[in-house]
Short mmCIF file of all heavy atoms in Angstrom, two decimals:
data_model
loop_
_atom_site.label_atom_id
_atom_site.label_comp_id
_atom_site.label_asym_id
_atom_site.label_seq_id
_atom_site.Cartn_x
_atom_site.Cartn_y
_atom_site.Cartn_z
N LEU Y 14 -177.88 171.50 107.10
CA LEU Y 14 -176.97 170.51 107.67
C LEU Y 14 -177.10 170.47 109.18
O LEU Y 14 -177.00 169.40 109.79
CB LEU Y 14 -175.54 170.82 107.26
CG LEU Y 14 -175.23 170.57 105.78
CD1 LEU Y 14 -173.89 171.17 105.41
CD2 LEU Y 14 -175.24 169.08 105.49
N SER Y 15 -177.32 171.63 109.79
CA SER Y 15 -177.42 171.63 111.25
C SER Y 15 -178.71 170.93 111.67
O SER Y 15 -178.74 170.19 112.66
CB SER Y 15 -177.28 173.05 111.78
OG SER Y 15 -178.44 173.47 112.42
N LEU Y 16 -179.78 171.11 110.89
CA LEU Y 16 -181.02 170.39 111.16
C LEU Y 16 -180.80 168.89 111.01
O LEU Y 16 -181.23 168.09 111.85
CB LEU Y 16 -182.11 170.87 110.20
CG LEU Y 16 -183.49 170.27 110.44
CD1 LEU Y 16 -184.04 170.73 111.77
CD2 LEU Y 16 -184.46 170.64 109.30
N LEU Y 17 -180.09 168.51 109.94
CA LEU Y 17 -179.79 167.10 109.71
C LEU Y 17 -179.00 166.53 110.90
O LEU Y 17 -179.29 165.43 111.38
CB LEU Y 17 -179.01 166.95 108.41
CG LEU Y 17 -178.61 165.52 108.01
CD1 LEU Y 17 -179.85 164.67 107.81
CD2 LEU Y 17 -177.76 165.53 106.74
N GLY Y 18 -178.01 167.29 111.36
CA GLY Y 18 -177.21 166.85 112.50
C GLY Y 18 -178.06 166.64 113.73
O GLY Y 18 -177.90 165.67 114.48
N PHE Y 19 -179.00 167.56 113.93
CA PHE Y 19 -179.89 167.44 115.08
C PHE Y 19 -180.74 166.18 114.96
O PHE Y 19 -180.92 165.44 115.93
CB PHE Y 19 -180.77 168.68 115.20
CG PHE Y 19 -181.79 168.56 116.27
CD1 PHE Y 19 -181.40 168.63 117.61
CD2 PHE Y 19 -183.11 168.33 115.96
CE1 PHE Y 19 -182.34 168.48 118.61
CE2 PHE Y 19 -184.06 168.18 116.96
CZ PHE Y 19 -183.67 168.26 118.29
N VAL Y 20 -181.25 165.92 113.76
CA VAL Y 20 -182.08 164.73 113.54
C VAL Y 20 -181.27 163.46 113.82
O VAL Y 20 -181.75 162.53 114.47
CB VAL Y 20 -182.66 164.73 112.10
CG1 VAL Y 20 -183.30 163.39 111.77
CG2 VAL Y 20 -183.67 165.85 111.94
N VAL Y 21 -180.02 163.43 113.34
CA VAL Y 21 -179.17 162.26 113.56
C VAL Y 21 -178.95 162.04 115.06
O VAL Y 21 -179.10 160.92 115.57
CB VAL Y 21 -177.80 162.42 112.85
CG1 VAL Y 21 -176.82 161.34 113.28
CG2 VAL Y 21 -177.98 162.40 111.33
N SER Y 22 -178.62 163.12 115.79
CA SER Y 22 -178.37 163.00 117.23
C SER Y 22 -179.62 162.54 117.97
O SER Y 22 -179.56 161.65 118.83
CB SER Y 22 -177.92 164.34 117.83
OG SER Y 22 -176.73 164.76 117.22
N ALA Y 23 -180.77 163.14 117.63
CA ALA Y 23 -182.01 162.77 118.31
C ALA Y 23 -182.36 161.32 117.99
O ALA Y 23 -182.75 160.55 118.88
CB ALA Y 23 -183.13 163.71 117.90
N ALA Y 24 -182.20 160.92 116.72
CA ALA Y 24 -182.53 159.55 116.33
C ALA Y 24 -181.64 158.56 117.07
O ALA Y 24 -182.10 157.49 117.52
CB ALA Y 24 -182.36 159.38 114.82
N TYR Y 25 -180.38 158.93 117.23
CA TYR Y 25 -179.43 158.06 117.95
C TYR Y 25 -179.88 157.85 119.40
O TYR Y 25 -179.98 156.72 119.88
CB TYR Y 25 -178.04 158.70 117.89
CG TYR Y 25 -176.99 158.03 118.74
CD1 TYR Y 25 -176.62 156.71 118.54
CD2 TYR Y 25 -176.35 158.75 119.76
CE1 TYR Y 25 -175.65 156.11 119.32
CE2 TYR Y 25 -175.37 158.17 120.53
CZ TYR Y 25 -175.02 156.85 120.31
OH TYR Y 25 -174.05 156.27 121.09
N LEU Y 26 -180.20 158.95 120.09
CA LEU Y 26 -180.64 158.84 121.48
C LEU Y 26 -181.96 158.06 121.58
O LEU Y 26 -182.14 157.22 122.47
CB LEU Y 26 -180.81 160.23 122.10
CG LEU Y 26 -179.51 160.96 122.43
CD1 LEU Y 26 -179.78 162.39 122.86
CD2 LEU Y 26 -178.74 160.22 123.52
N LEU Y 27 -182.88 158.34 120.65
CA LEU Y 27 -184.17 157.63 120.68
C LEU Y 27 -183.97 156.14 120.42
O LEU Y 27 -184.61 155.30 121.05
CB LEU Y 27 -185.13 158.23 119.63
CG LEU Y 27 -185.61 159.65 119.98
CD1 LEU Y 27 -186.39 160.26 118.82
CD2 LEU Y 27 -186.49 159.63 121.24
N ALA Y 28 -183.02 155.81 119.49
CA ALA Y 28 -182.75 154.39 119.21
C ALA Y 28 -182.18 153.70 120.44
O ALA Y 28 -182.54 152.55 120.74
CB ALA Y 28 -181.79 154.27 118.03
N LEU Y 29 -181.31 154.40 121.17
CA LEU Y 29 -180.73 153.82 122.39
C LEU Y 29 -181.83 153.54 123.42
O LEU Y 29 -181.77 152.57 124.17
CB LEU Y 29 -179.71 154.76 123.01
CG LEU Y 29 -178.35 154.85 122.34
CD1 LEU Y 29 -177.51 155.92 123.02
CD2 LEU Y 29 -177.62 153.51 122.41
N LEU Y 30 -182.84 154.41 123.43
CA LEU Y 30 -183.87 154.31 124.48
C LEU Y 30 -185.02 153.39 124.09
O LEU Y 30 -185.56 152.68 124.92
CB LEU Y 30 -184.42 155.71 124.77
CG LEU Y 30 -183.49 156.61 125.57
CD1 LEU Y 30 -183.96 158.06 125.48
CD2 LEU Y 30 -183.44 156.15 127.02
N PHE Y 31 -185.39 153.42 122.81
CA PHE Y 31 -186.66 152.79 122.44
C PHE Y 31 -186.53 151.55 121.57
O PHE Y 31 -187.53 150.95 121.23
CB PHE Y 31 -187.59 153.81 121.78
CG PHE Y 31 -188.04 154.88 122.74
CD1 PHE Y 31 -187.46 156.13 122.74
CD2 PHE Y 31 -189.04 154.61 123.68
CE1 PHE Y 31 -187.87 157.11 123.66
CE2 PHE Y 31 -189.45 155.57 124.58
CZ PHE Y 31 -188.87 156.82 124.57
N THR Y 32 -185.30 151.17 121.17
CA THR Y 32 -185.18 149.90 120.45
C THR Y 32 -184.53 148.88 121.39
O THR Y 32 -183.71 149.24 122.24
CB THR Y 32 -184.30 150.02 119.18
OG1 THR Y 32 -182.95 150.31 119.60
CG2 THR Y 32 -184.80 151.13 118.26
N PRO Y 33 -184.92 147.60 121.26
CA PRO Y 33 -184.32 146.57 122.13
C PRO Y 33 -182.79 146.54 121.99
O PRO Y 33 -182.07 146.46 122.99
CB PRO Y 33 -184.93 145.27 121.62
CG PRO Y 33 -186.13 145.65 120.81
CD PRO Y 33 -185.92 147.05 120.33
N GLU Y 34 -182.29 146.67 120.74
CA GLU Y 34 -180.83 146.62 120.53
C GLU Y 34 -180.16 147.79 121.26
O GLU Y 34 -179.11 147.62 121.88
CB GLU Y 34 -180.49 146.71 119.04
CG GLU Y 34 -180.94 145.54 118.18
CD GLU Y 34 -182.42 145.64 117.81
OE1 GLU Y 34 -183.05 146.68 118.09
OE2 GLU Y 34 -182.96 144.65 117.26
N GLY Y 35 -180.78 148.97 121.15
CA GLY Y 35 -180.21 150.15 121.79
C GLY Y 35 -180.15 149.99 123.29
O GLY Y 35 -179.15 150.33 123.93
N ARG Y 36 -181.20 149.41 123.87
CA ARG Y 36 -181.23 149.25 125.32
C ARG Y 36 -180.22 148.21 125.78
O ARG Y 36 -179.57 148.39 126.81
CB ARG Y 36 -182.64 148.89 125.76
CG ARG Y 36 -183.55 150.10 125.68
CD ARG Y 36 -184.98 149.73 125.72
NE ARG Y 36 -185.46 149.65 127.11
CZ ARG Y 36 -186.71 149.92 127.44
NH1 ARG Y 36 -187.58 150.28 126.52
NH2 ARG Y 36 -187.09 149.83 128.69
N VAL Y 37 -180.08 147.15 124.98
CA VAL Y 37 -179.06 146.14 125.32
C VAL Y 37 -177.67 146.79 125.28
O VAL Y 37 -176.85 146.57 126.16
CB VAL Y 37 -179.14 144.95 124.33
CG1 VAL Y 37 -177.92 144.05 124.47
CG2 VAL Y 37 -180.42 144.16 124.57
N PHE Y 38 -177.46 147.62 124.25
CA PHE Y 38 -176.17 148.28 124.07
C PHE Y 38 -175.87 149.21 125.26
O PHE Y 38 -174.77 149.17 125.84
CB PHE Y 38 -176.19 149.07 122.76
CG PHE Y 38 -174.91 149.77 122.44
CD1 PHE Y 38 -173.71 149.07 122.38
CD2 PHE Y 38 -174.89 151.14 122.19
CE1 PHE Y 38 -172.53 149.72 122.08
CE2 PHE Y 38 -173.71 151.79 121.90
CZ PHE Y 38 -172.53 151.08 121.84
N ALA Y 39 -176.85 150.03 125.64
CA ALA Y 39 -176.66 150.95 126.76
C ALA Y 39 -176.45 150.17 128.05
O ALA Y 39 -175.58 150.50 128.87
CB ALA Y 39 -177.85 151.89 126.89
N ARG Y 40 -177.25 149.12 128.23
CA ARG Y 40 -177.16 148.29 129.45
C ARG Y 40 -175.79 147.60 129.51
O ARG Y 40 -175.13 147.59 130.54
CB ARG Y 40 -178.32 147.27 129.41
CG ARG Y 40 -178.28 146.13 130.37
CD ARG Y 40 -178.45 146.48 131.82
NE ARG Y 40 -179.56 147.42 132.06
CZ ARG Y 40 -179.53 148.32 133.05
NH1 ARG Y 40 -178.47 148.44 133.82
NH2 ARG Y 40 -180.54 149.12 133.24
N TRP Y 41 -175.34 147.08 128.35
CA TRP Y 41 -174.06 146.37 128.31
C TRP Y 41 -172.92 147.33 128.63
O TRP Y 41 -172.06 147.03 129.46
CB TRP Y 41 -173.83 145.75 126.93
CG TRP Y 41 -172.42 145.29 126.75
CD1 TRP Y 41 -171.86 144.13 127.19
CD2 TRP Y 41 -171.36 146.03 126.13
NE1 TRP Y 41 -170.52 144.09 126.89
CE2 TRP Y 41 -170.19 145.25 126.23
CE3 TRP Y 41 -171.29 147.29 125.50
CZ2 TRP Y 41 -168.97 145.66 125.72
CZ3 TRP Y 41 -170.07 147.71 125.00
CH2 TRP Y 41 -168.92 146.90 125.11
N SER Y 42 -172.93 148.52 127.99
CA SER Y 42 -171.79 149.42 128.22
C SER Y 42 -171.81 149.96 129.65
O SER Y 42 -170.77 150.32 130.19
CB SER Y 42 -171.77 150.56 127.20
OG SER Y 42 -173.04 151.08 127.00
N ALA Y 43 -173.00 150.00 130.27
CA ALA Y 43 -173.06 150.46 131.66
C ALA Y 43 -172.61 149.36 132.62
O ALA Y 43 -172.15 149.64 133.72
CB ALA Y 43 -174.47 150.92 132.00
N GLY Y 44 -172.76 148.08 132.20
CA GLY Y 44 -172.51 146.99 133.15
C GLY Y 44 -171.17 146.32 132.99
O GLY Y 44 -170.82 145.44 133.78
N ALA Y 45 -170.38 146.73 131.99
CA ALA Y 45 -169.16 146.00 131.68
C ALA Y 45 -168.00 146.32 132.61
O ALA Y 45 -166.91 145.83 132.41
CB ALA Y 45 -168.76 146.27 130.23
N ALA Y 46 -168.22 147.17 133.62
CA ALA Y 46 -167.11 147.48 134.53
C ALA Y 46 -167.55 147.22 135.97
O ALA Y 46 -168.73 147.04 136.24
CB ALA Y 46 -166.69 148.93 134.35
N GLU Y 47 -166.59 147.23 136.88
CA GLU Y 47 -166.86 146.90 138.27
C GLU Y 47 -167.39 148.09 139.07
O GLU Y 47 -168.54 148.11 139.49
CB GLU Y 47 -165.58 146.38 138.93
CG GLU Y 47 -165.21 144.97 138.53
CD GLU Y 47 -166.23 143.94 139.06
OE1 GLU Y 47 -166.54 143.99 140.27
OE2 GLU Y 47 -166.72 143.12 138.25
N SER Y 48 -166.54 149.11 139.23
CA SER Y 48 -166.92 150.23 140.09
C SER Y 48 -167.86 151.17 139.36
O SER Y 48 -167.94 151.18 138.12
CB SER Y 48 -165.67 151.01 140.50
OG SER Y 48 -165.15 151.70 139.39
N ARG Y 49 -168.58 151.99 140.12
CA ARG Y 49 -169.50 152.95 139.50
C ARG Y 49 -168.74 153.96 138.63
O ARG Y 49 -169.18 154.32 137.55
CB ARG Y 49 -170.27 153.69 140.60
CG ARG Y 49 -171.18 154.79 140.04
CD ARG Y 49 -171.91 155.52 141.12
NE ARG Y 49 -172.79 154.64 141.88
CZ ARG Y 49 -173.97 154.21 141.42
NH1 ARG Y 49 -174.39 154.57 140.24
NH2 ARG Y 49 -174.71 153.42 142.15
N TRP Y 50 -167.57 154.41 139.13
CA TRP Y 50 -166.77 155.37 138.35
C TRP Y 50 -166.46 154.81 136.97
O TRP Y 50 -166.62 155.48 135.96
CB TRP Y 50 -165.45 155.68 139.06
CG TRP Y 50 -165.62 156.40 140.34
CD1 TRP Y 50 -165.59 155.85 141.60
CD2 TRP Y 50 -165.87 157.81 140.52
NE1 TRP Y 50 -165.80 156.82 142.54
CE2 TRP Y 50 -165.97 158.03 141.91
CE3 TRP Y 50 -166.00 158.87 139.64
CZ2 TRP Y 50 -166.21 159.30 142.43
CZ3 TRP Y 50 -166.24 160.13 140.16
CH2 TRP Y 50 -166.35 160.33 141.55
N ALA Y 51 -166.00 153.54 136.97
CA ALA Y 51 -165.61 152.93 135.71
C ALA Y 51 -166.84 152.72 134.82
O ALA Y 51 -166.77 152.93 133.61
CB ALA Y 51 -164.91 151.60 135.97
N GLN Y 52 -167.96 152.35 135.43
CA GLN Y 52 -169.19 152.15 134.64
C GLN Y 52 -169.61 153.44 133.96
O GLN Y 52 -169.91 153.46 132.76
CB GLN Y 52 -170.33 151.69 135.56
CG GLN Y 52 -170.26 150.23 135.93
CD GLN Y 52 -171.37 149.86 136.90
OE1 GLN Y 52 -172.21 150.66 137.24
NE2 GLN Y 52 -171.35 148.61 137.33
N VAL Y 53 -169.64 154.52 134.76
CA VAL Y 53 -170.06 155.81 134.20
C VAL Y 53 -169.08 156.24 133.11
O VAL Y 53 -169.49 156.69 132.03
CB VAL Y 53 -170.14 156.88 135.32
CG1 VAL Y 53 -170.35 158.27 134.72
CG2 VAL Y 53 -171.27 156.54 136.28
N GLY Y 54 -167.78 156.05 133.38
CA GLY Y 54 -166.77 156.42 132.39
C GLY Y 54 -166.94 155.63 131.11
O GLY Y 54 -166.92 156.19 130.00
N LEU Y 55 -167.17 154.33 131.25
CA LEU Y 55 -167.27 153.45 130.08
C LEU Y 55 -168.51 153.79 129.25
O LEU Y 55 -168.44 153.93 128.02
CB LEU Y 55 -167.33 152.00 130.55
CG LEU Y 55 -167.10 150.96 129.45
CD1 LEU Y 55 -165.69 151.07 128.91
CD2 LEU Y 55 -167.36 149.56 129.98
N VAL Y 56 -169.65 153.91 129.92
CA VAL Y 56 -170.88 154.19 129.18
C VAL Y 56 -170.77 155.54 128.47
O VAL Y 56 -171.18 155.71 127.32
CB VAL Y 56 -172.13 154.10 130.09
CG1 VAL Y 56 -172.27 155.28 131.00
CG2 VAL Y 56 -173.40 153.99 129.24
N THR Y 57 -170.11 156.51 129.13
CA THR Y 57 -169.94 157.82 128.50
C THR Y 57 -169.06 157.72 127.27
O THR Y 57 -169.42 158.21 126.19
CB THR Y 57 -169.31 158.81 129.51
OG1 THR Y 57 -170.10 158.83 130.69
CG2 THR Y 57 -169.21 160.20 128.93
N VAL Y 58 -167.92 157.05 127.43
CA VAL Y 58 -166.97 156.97 126.32
C VAL Y 58 -167.59 156.20 125.14
O VAL Y 58 -167.50 156.64 123.97
CB VAL Y 58 -165.66 156.29 126.79
CG1 VAL Y 58 -164.78 155.95 125.60
CG2 VAL Y 58 -164.92 157.21 127.76
N VAL Y 59 -168.29 155.09 125.43
CA VAL Y 59 -168.87 154.29 124.34
C VAL Y 59 -169.99 155.07 123.63
O VAL Y 59 -169.99 155.20 122.40
CB VAL Y 59 -169.42 152.95 124.89
CG1 VAL Y 59 -170.22 152.23 123.81
CG2 VAL Y 59 -168.28 152.07 125.37
N LEU Y 60 -170.92 155.62 124.41
CA LEU Y 60 -172.06 156.30 123.79
C LEU Y 60 -171.64 157.57 123.06
O LEU Y 60 -172.09 157.83 121.95
CB LEU Y 60 -173.14 156.62 124.85
CG LEU Y 60 -173.77 155.39 125.51
CD1 LEU Y 60 -174.90 155.81 126.45
CD2 LEU Y 60 -174.32 154.41 124.47
N VAL Y 61 -170.75 158.34 123.69
CA VAL Y 61 -170.29 159.58 123.04
C VAL Y 61 -169.42 159.23 121.83
O VAL Y 61 -169.49 159.89 120.78
CB VAL Y 61 -169.53 160.48 124.04
CG1 VAL Y 61 -168.90 161.68 123.32
CG2 VAL Y 61 -170.46 160.95 125.13
N GLY Y 62 -168.61 158.18 121.96
CA GLY Y 62 -167.74 157.76 120.85
C GLY Y 62 -168.55 157.42 119.61
O GLY Y 62 -168.24 157.87 118.49
N VAL Y 63 -169.62 156.63 119.78
CA VAL Y 63 -170.46 156.26 118.63
C VAL Y 63 -171.12 157.51 118.04
O VAL Y 63 -171.18 157.69 116.83
CB VAL Y 63 -171.53 155.22 119.05
CG1 VAL Y 63 -172.52 154.98 117.92
CG2 VAL Y 63 -170.86 153.92 119.47
N HIS Y 64 -171.58 158.39 118.93
CA HIS Y 64 -172.22 159.62 118.45
C HIS Y 64 -171.24 160.48 117.64
O HIS Y 64 -171.58 161.01 116.59
CB HIS Y 64 -172.76 160.42 119.64
CG HIS Y 64 -173.42 161.70 119.24
ND1 HIS Y 64 -172.78 162.92 119.34
CD2 HIS Y 64 -174.63 161.95 118.70
CE1 HIS Y 64 -173.58 163.86 118.89
NE2 HIS Y 64 -174.72 163.31 118.50
N THR Y 65 -170.01 160.56 118.14
CA THR Y 65 -168.99 161.34 117.43
C THR Y 65 -168.73 160.75 116.04
O THR Y 65 -168.64 161.48 115.05
CB THR Y 65 -167.67 161.35 118.25
OG1 THR Y 65 -167.98 161.81 119.57
CG2 THR Y 65 -166.64 162.27 117.62
#
Side-chain angles (χ1 to χ4, degrees):
L14 289 168
S15 116
L16 184 66
L17 180 62
F19 174 73
V20 169
V21 169
S22 299
Y25 172 61
L26 286 173
L27 291 172
L29 284 175
L30 286 165
F31 292 101
T32 66
E34 294 80 8
R36 286 164 88 149
V37 168
F38 182 55
R40 167 68 46 212
W41 167 81
S42 44
E47 285 293 311
S48 70
R49 176 181 299 283
W50 294 100
Q52 282 177 3
V53 171
L55 194 65
V56 74
T57 305
V58 169
V59 171
L60 297 185
V61 173
V63 172
H64 180 259
T65 306

